[in-house]
Amino acid sequence: MSQSLDMAEKLGPEKRHAFVHNGQKVFEWDQTLEEVNMYIELPKGVPTKLFHCAIQATHVEVGIRGNPPYLNHDLTLPVKTDSSFWTIEDGEMHITLQKREKGKTWSSPIQGQGSLDPYAADQEQKRLMLQRFQEENPGFDFSQAQFTGTCPDPRTFMGGIRSD
């Protein structure tokens, strides 16, 4: 068990991507085969119980109760609302969006905003493909594997992602 957890950590996101608007960081995010994670630094001095987050299949809204929303955007792709959730810890809101299409590479959590450049998107797809290989072959270490040329789509390569 600890070996497979170690491999999952090796193939996990190396760093968060930042979405910056008008020179200010709005949120950071990363993704795995199954989920997209958004991280929002919360303003100091506001009680945590005043923050709210509403996750819909294709939309997310974040804000402070009684104020206009800080984020109020459509998501790039649909999510499973029953297994998506949010938490607050150490002054940061962490939103976990469960992908409806496991293995699909997201270019950004928010539709039309802060998309990854083509190189970064390719690197994400390669990392997700390696995560898929690791998940399907837990006894092997894919953390140093590399692709030459275009990486296949992790959702459809060799018959697609296996379901449990």
Side-chain angles (χ1 to χ4, degrees), residues 3-164:
Q3 182 183 8
S4 63
L5 182 60
D6 187 40
M7 287 299 120
E9 287 177 7
K10 283 183 180 181
L11 294 172
E14 292 179 15
K15 63 177 184 144
R16 296 176 180 177
H17 306 288
F19 171 54
V20 177
H21 182 70
N22 292 335
Q24 182 177 352
K25 180 175 66 177
V26 179
F27 61 84
E28 293 180 321
W29 69 282
D30 60 30
Q31 66 184 310
T32 66
L33 275 174
E34 298 184 5
E35 60 193 30
V36 172
N37 296 289
M38 296 174 65
Y39 308 92
I40 301 171
E41 191 173 324
L42 300 174
K44 304 209 183 321
V46 179
T48 57
K49 66 183 177 203
L50 292 181
F51 293 103
H52 76 93
C53 177
I55 303 168
Q56 299 170 358
T58 59
H59 194 87
V60 66
E61 182 180 308
V62 175
I64 299 172
R65 295 184 200 287
N67 292 284
Y70 174 72
L71 273 182
N72 187 17
H73 292 282
D74 287 336
L75 298 170
T76 299
L77 293 164
V79 298
K80 298 177 184 176
T81 55
D82 60 342
S83 50
S84 297
F85 59 93
W86 61 281
T87 59
I88 294 176
E89 188 174 331
D90 299 327
E92 180 178 75
M93 180 180 285
H94 176 190
I95 304 169
T96 300
L97 302 169
Q98 193 74 28
K99 294 178 179 179
R100 190 172 287 170
E101 290 184 71
K102 180 179 177 180
K104 176 76 172 166
T105 305
W106 287 33
S107 60
S108 170
I110 302 299
Q111 190 174 51
Q113 301 289 325
S115 293
L116 297 175
D117 63 65
Y119 176 78
D122 183 59
Q123 293 303 306
E124 280 293 289
Q125 183 154 320
K126 288 176 179 178
R127 189 179 56 73
L128 293 181
M129 189 74 202
L130 292 175
Q131 276 188 347
R132 177 187 155 188
F133 287 161
Q134 188 63 56
E135 186 177 278
E136 293 177 357
N137 304 281
F140 295 92
D141 180 355
F142 291 98
S143 63
Q144 300 300 314
Q146 296 181 352
F147 291 95
T148 55
T150 305
C151 177
D153 185 333
R155 291 173 307 135
T156 58
F157 181 70
M158 294 183 66
I161 292 179
R162 295 180 198 154
S163 58
D164 296 337

